[in-house]
Amino acid sequence: MSTTQPHEHIVKSYDEEQRHLVEEIVRMGLTAVAQLEAALDVVERRDDSAARRIVANDESIDEAERRISHDVMLLALRGPMARDLREILAGLRIPADIERIGDYAANVAKRSIALNAAPPMPHTTGLRALGLLAAGQVRQALRAYRENDGELALQVRENDARLDQQYTALFRELLTYMMEDPRNITPCTHLLFMAKNLERIGDHATNIAENVWFLIHGEQPLPPRDKRDDTSTTTGAV
Amino acid sequence: MSTTQPHEHIVKSYDEEQRHLVEEIVRMGLTAVAQLEAALDVVERRDDSAARRIVANDESIDEAERRISHDVMLLALRGPMARDLREILAGLRIPADIERIGDYAANVAKRSIALNAAPPMPHTTGLRALGLLAAGQVRQALRAYRENDGELALQVRENDARLDQQYTALFRELLTYMMEDPRNITPCTHLLFMAKNLERIGDHATNIAENVWFLIHGEQPLPPRDKRDDTSTTTGAV
């Protein structure tokens, strides 16, 4: 709480280490975004071997999470103040969200391989738009974390509604293709799961944003937010 | 490392607190399993209002995670030894997995509401079997955590393959129903996502088991395990 003069040197090196970890986490996050963007590209280009590379790269994100959470815990043992505690929690939770984002990106790539075994579908445009929106949300959330920007974090959280709307529209569109022609069912099922993965990436961007808010403001005074993926209550035949 | 006599009282109360937290986490986990089992029941009984209660109950699991991670971090600031560090990491990661299990259970309940708007489908038996298998895996993983049982943890990890196989079989079965009759597409899509949620619950049970192994043995000497949800590479029309 108070800036105790005698510990200034120790405090500074703690802060430096903390700063270094934030940079590591942001770097990890940007790797996940790059994986996502690469996955969207391989869907477009129908490139199986590039898709396999993306799947294999996911391991480096998993490893980064293990390394970072270990370093965060070591740092935790040095800084017992309230703000430090929040930084530590954010430093463990944000990499966990990034790790999941990496998994979803890899899954998009993996499903693109299955998709490529069928004739090309014209419906990947909506998927790409959804994916780029999700990538943008992750980038903004990481920027909010790096720059300690609570307002930007709130904005990410608000923008998630747009992503959910686009997901719902794509979901309904895919259902109609399935109904039109049974041969579309298998590829469209893959596209449904790919779209769901992108929507989940948006949720993890929101989680990151909420952790940034918590980091800055302490106990979350954020209003409860409804989940807006309303496909799980979609009952009509589109 | 060494059992320093003068700190014995402090060490003991640290251990008591640690033990208390494990119990809290197990309780949280059993709540998630109860939510899952209730969700499987409402699918069977087509009971919308019970489904809504399950969705609403999920908030209590989310809150437990926030509370527990806060308490784990407070404890972290007291115990700087290697084994403590692993206990702290497990104490943060396991509740995060349980929280996700709770989310998936609530999503199964939510989708059952959508399903109930359509005429009953005969295909929920496979879903129920898959769900009970997943619930069993979570229970075993929690027992391994509570009893510090590395062998049981390994067993949970091995058994995940069975769950994945059952998921893949159900996935293919649902695709055939969709192809037979376009009217099945919307309900089967919900069932596909519900099945996917159950398969993911199995993955989180495996995560918990791997954390128990890590807690006991330190750096993970576990062989890399392939993801066996091979529906993402299912290309044939079944």
Side-chain angles (χ1 to χ4, degrees), chain B residues 4-224:
Chain B
T4 45
Q5 220 55 19
H7 297 96
E8 203 166 31
H9 176 67
I10 294 168
V11 170
K12 180 154 186 282
S13 110
Y14 177 93
D15 285 350
E16 276 169 3
E17 180 63 17
Q18 172 61 32
R19 199 61 227 159
H20 170 72
L21 278 169
V22 170
E23 289 304 323
E24 285 279 287
I25 292 167
V26 170
R27 192 173 9 248
M28 179 191 171
L30 294 176
T31 306
V33 175
Q35 284 275 93
L36 169 58
E37 287 165 344
L40 298 172
D41 273 344
V42 303
V43 175
E44 204 90 334
R45 298 196 338 257
R46 298 171 63 83
D47 182 341
D48 284 1
S49 62
R52 273 188 214 97
R53 272 199 303 279
I54 295 166
V55 174
N57 278 348
D58 185 47
E59 178 49 37
S60 75
I61 297 179
D62 296 353
E63 209 228 276
E65 199 221 345
R66 285 193 292 273
R67 185 171 39 78
I68 289 170
S69 65
H70 185 262
D71 290 350
V72 170
M73 286 308 307
L74 283 181
L75 188 65
L77 304 172
R78 292 171 48 193
M81 290 183 291
R83 161 90 199 193
D84 297 337
L85 198 67
R86 295 207 301 273
E87 269 168 355
I88 290 156
L89 277 176
L92 291 166
R93 286 175 179 164
I94 292 173
D97 280 304
I98 295 170
E99 189 267 333
R100 298 293 302 134
I101 291 168
D103 282 352
Y104 286 120
N107 195 264
V108 169
K110 200 171 156 195
R111 285 190 186 273
S112 79
I113 297 173
L115 215 51
N116 294 347
M121 301 260 303
H123 323 308
T124 46
T125 323
L127 193 83
R128 187 176 174 80
L130 188 68
L132 292 177
L133 204 57
Q137 287 280 90
V138 179
R139 275 186 197 285
Q140 294 281 75
L142 292 171
R143 194 152 69 84
Y145 180 47
R146 175 186 267 151
E147 294 170 13
N148 235 353
D149 186 339
E151 287 311 306
L152 183 57
L154 273 188
Q155 210 178 299
V156 170
R157 190 166 173 268
E158 289 312 311
N159 289 346
D160 189 47
R162 254 181 67 211
L163 204 150
D164 285 348
Q165 279 157 14
Q166 240 176 272
Y167 165 69
T168 302
L170 180 59
F171 186 94
R172 285 163 180 269
E173 190 188 341
L174 289 169
L175 282 189
T176 59
Y177 293 129
M178 291 162 98
M179 286 171 193
E180 268 166 32
D181 186 344
R183 283 169 302 182
N184 286 338
I185 289 176
T186 299
C188 281
T189 299
H190 287 300
L191 287 168
L192 280 178
F193 277 100
M194 288 157 99
K196 184 71 190 166
N197 287 340
L198 298 174
E199 186 263 340
R200 293 290 301 141
I201 287 175
D203 288 344
H204 286 287
T206 300
N207 286 353
I208 294 171
E210 288 180 347
N211 271 299
V212 171
W213 178 271
F214 164 71
L215 180 59
I216 298 168
H217 299 281
E219 283 316 305
Q220 291 130 314
L222 288 162

Side-chain angles (χ1 to χ4, degrees), chain A residues 39-77:
Chain A
L40 297 172
D41 272 345
V42 302
V43 175
E44 204 91 334
R45 293 193 344 251
R46 298 170 62 84
D47 183 341
D48 283 1
S49 61
R52 272 187 215 98
R53 273 200 302 281
I54 294 166
V55 174
N57 278 349
D58 186 45
E59 179 50 37
S60 74
I61 296 179
D62 296 352
E63 209 228 276
E65 200 220 344
R66 286 193 291 273
R67 185 170 39 78
I68 288 169
S69 64
H70 185 261
D71 291 350
V72 169
M73 286 308 306
L74 283 181
L75 188 65
L77 305 172

Side-chain angles (χ1 to χ4, degrees), chain A residues 146-208:
Chain A
R146 176 185 267 151
E147 296 171 11
N148 234 351
D149 186 339
E151 286 310 305
L152 183 57
L154 273 189
Q155 210 178 299
V156 170
R157 190 167 175 268
E158 288 312 311
N159 289 346
D160 189 47
R162 254 180 68 211
L163 204 149
D164 285 347
Q165 279 158 14
Q166 239 175 275
Y167 166 69
T168 302
L170 179 59
F171 186 94
R172 285 164 180 268
E173 190 189 340
L174 290 168
L175 282 189
T176 60
Y177 293 129
M178 291 162 98
M179 288 172 191
E180 269 167 31
D181 186 344
R183 284 171 300 182
N184 287 338
I185 288 175
T186 299
C188 281
T189 299
H190 286 300
L191 288 168
L192 280 179
F193 276 101
M194 290 158 98
K196 185 69 189 169
N197 287 340
L198 299 174
E199 187 263 340
R200 293 292 301 142
I201 288 176
D203 288 345
H204 286 286
T206 300
N207 286 353
I208 295 172

